[in-house]
Amino acid sequence: DAGITQSPRHKVTETGTPVTLRCHQTENHRYMYWYRQDPGHGLRLIHYSYGVKDTDKGEVSDGYSVSRSKTEDFLLTLESATSSQTSVYFCAMAAAGVNNEQFFGPGTRLTVL
Amino acid sequence: AQSVTQLDSHVSVSEGTPVLLRCNYSSSYSPSLFWYVQHPNKGLQLLLKYTSAATLVKGINGFEAEFKKSETSFHLTKPSAHMSDAAEYFCVVSDPSWGKLQFGAGTQVVVTP
C-alpha cells in the first residue's frame, strides 16, 4: 500500500447516481490501473493509463470512464451507477510496463443499491 | 488469447505442512508470470515473478514457484505453512502483445493450527 491511496474506502450509493473514485500516488509512476474484484473472477482490468491524458480500455470498461490530468491522480467515474457495479475497486501503479510489478492500493468497497 | 487457470479455489493446510497452489496458463507468446497475495481487506502484494530467467523463482516469505513450459504450469509452493500465510493467492500472466495482466480466479488458503 505504500505510496498509493484510494478514496473513499467505502461508499454506498443508489442506482443512477454518478460516482467518482480517486486514486493518488506519490511515487511518480507512469502507469496506473483500475481493476474490479468480484468473487470467482479474480481482478479484471477496467481502464489503465500510460501517462498524463493517455488512457485506454481494459476488458470490462463499459459504464466506466477515467481521467488522468496529473501524474499522481487517476480518477474512475461511473456515469450512472448500476447494481452490477457493486464491487471492490483496486487502483494500481507501475513504474514501467506490463512485465513489471504493480503496486496496489487498499481498495474501495462500492455498494450500489 | 491468454488465460490463467488456478486449479483449486480453496486449499486447507495444517501449520508446518507444505503448501502447493496450482496454476496453468495459456499464452501465444512467452509470458511473464506472477504470484500475488491478498490478505483480508488489503490490497495485493507481489510474492514473486518469472520473466524468462531462471525457471525456479524464489519469492518473499519462503515461497517459490517453478515455471514449466512443457506443462504450461507455474505452481507455487512453500515447505512449511505459517498461520500468517492464510490469504488469497492469485496467479497472473502478462502478455506484452496484449499489454495487460490476466488474473486467475484466486485460491483461498486456510491454515489450521
Side-chain angles (χ1 to χ4, degrees), chain B residues 15-16 81-87 111-113:
Chain B
E15 189 176 20
H82 191 272
M83 295 298 291
S84 61
D85 295 327
V111 182
T112 56

Side-chain angles (χ1 to χ4, degrees), chain A residues 9 13 16 38 64 73 78 100:
Chain A
R9 293 294 311 280
T13 190
D38 304 290
Y64 301 95
D73 291 323
L78 290 66
N100 293 271

Side-chain angles (χ1 to χ4, degrees), chain B residues 42-65:
Chain B
K42 298 289 188 183
L44 279 72
Q45 180 186 15
L46 181 70
L47 276 178
L48 50 81
K49 69 176 181 180
Y50 165 79
T51 54
S52 73
T55 56
L56 183 62
V57 183
K58 295 188 183 298
I60 62 172
N61 301 335
F63 284 94
E64 63 180 35

Side-chain angles (χ1 to χ4, degrees), chain B residues 4-46:
Chain B
V4 181
T5 303
Q6 292 184 242
L7 299 172
D8 307 290
S9 59
H10 290 84
V11 168
S12 183
V13 299
S14 299
E15 189 176 20
T17 64
V19 181
L20 169 64
L21 305 184
R22 298 180 295 165
C23 174
N24 288 121
Y25 70 92
S26 66
S27 177
S28 302
Y29 297 84
S30 296
S32 292
L33 294 155
F34 306 79
W35 277 98
Y36 280 84
V37 61
Q38 183 181 29
H39 288 94
N41 300 311
K42 298 289 188 183
L44 279 72
Q45 180 186 15
L46 181 70

